[in-house]
Amino acid sequence: AGITVKDCKIGPSPEWMQNYLRAAGINPKNNLVDITNFVLFELGQPLHAFDADKIEGGKIVVRNCEEGTEFVTLDGVERTLSAADLMIANTVKPMCLAGVFGGEESGVTETTVDVFLESAYFNPVSIRKSSKRHTLKTDAPFRYERGADPLVVEYAAKRAALLIQEIAG
């Protein structure tokens, strides 16, 4: 499921949300990223927020990439992808290692105005293999590897969109 939310105002999240995230072991970043983490812990559904302006071609494509594709993740590390890695891509290039880790060029920054929220169900085995292949252990693959609930996908996206409307303008 995907939802575009326009005219967001990036800033700190409310104190109650920051406290919730800290109690869950997460350092607050900004209101948009904090909302995706809050919904992850509230509903068990991983979400990813993309800067909508960085979605080249204005279209999201879920696909496997070519063997040997170079990809820089949000942590600034360049990774060599396998043809078995599932990617969230735009019409030009990969933006996110699906269910595992976002890409450096597609994430939300302090200049983001429009956001595309992605909520999905991924094959647990595929996610586990990609996570292990790239030694990326984050909250998202932890949930997907154990079988996230496919019936929560749309609800979680709507919950996050409503929180963005309330907290980010």
Side-chain angles (χ1 to χ4, degrees), residues 14-15 17 24 33 35 37 39 52 58 60 80 83 96 99 105 119 126-127 135 144 148 153-155 158-159 165 169:
E15 193 65 33
M17 185 175 284
V33 173
I35 287 167
N37 285 324
V39 172
I60 295 289
T80 303
C96 182
E105 295 182 26
S119 178
S126 171
I127 299 303
T135 61
Y144 286 124
V153 169
E154 186 177 338
Y155 178 79
K158 289 178 180 179
R159 171 75 170 135
Q165 183 180 25

Side-chain angles (χ1 to χ4, degrees), residues 68-89:
T69 299
E70 297 297 323
F71 181 69
V72 180
T73 47
L74 280 170
D75 58 0
V77 175
E78 186 172 311
R79 301 177 191 281
T80 303
L81 302 176
S82 161
D85 290 325
L86 186 63
M87 303 300 294
I88 308 294

Side-chain angles (χ1 to χ4, degrees), residues 3-146:
I3 298 174
T4 300
V5 184
K6 295 185 175 278
D7 299 323
C8 300
K9 291 164 190 64
I10 305 293
S13 55
E15 193 65 33
W16 65 266
M17 185 175 284
Q18 290 184 37
N19 291 338
Y20 183 97
L21 292 173
R22 283 189 197 102
I26 301 292
N27 288 324
K29 184 171 180 175
N30 64 49
N31 50 2
L32 293 180
V33 173
D34 291 353
I35 287 167
T36 63
N37 285 324
F38 177 79
V39 172
L40 168 69
F41 286 100
E42 181 183 50
L43 300 175
Q45 175 62 39
L47 301 169
H48 189 74
F50 294 92
D51 185 326
D53 292 337
K54 296 178 183 174
I55 302 174
E56 294 181 48
K59 183 177 178 183
I60 295 289
V61 180
V62 181
R63 63 174 171 82
N64 291 87
C65 62
E66 291 183 28
E67 185 72 34
T69 299
E70 297 297 323
F71 181 69
V72 180
T73 47
L74 280 170
D75 58 0
V77 175
E78 186 172 311
R79 301 177 191 281
T80 303
L81 302 176
S82 161
D85 290 325
L86 186 63
M87 303 300 294
I88 308 294
N90 57 40
T91 58
V92 178
K93 60 187 173 189
M95 297 186 312
C96 182
L97 186 54
V100 179
F101 214 68
E104 185 176 57
E105 295 182 26
S106 64
V108 171
T109 67
E110 54 280 343
T111 61
T112 299
V113 176
D114 299 335
V115 175
F116 178 77
L117 282 174
E118 169 255 329
S119 178
Y121 174 83
F122 297 110
N123 179 299
V125 174
S126 171
I127 299 303
R128 184 174 61 251
K129 286 181 179 179
S130 283
S131 174
K132 187 173 182 175
R133 183 180 307 111
H134 298 288
T135 61
L136 287 167
K137 294 293 180 191
T138 63
D139 289 313
F142 180 83
R143 300 301 192 289
Y144 286 124
E145 290 171 7
R146 287 153 179 78

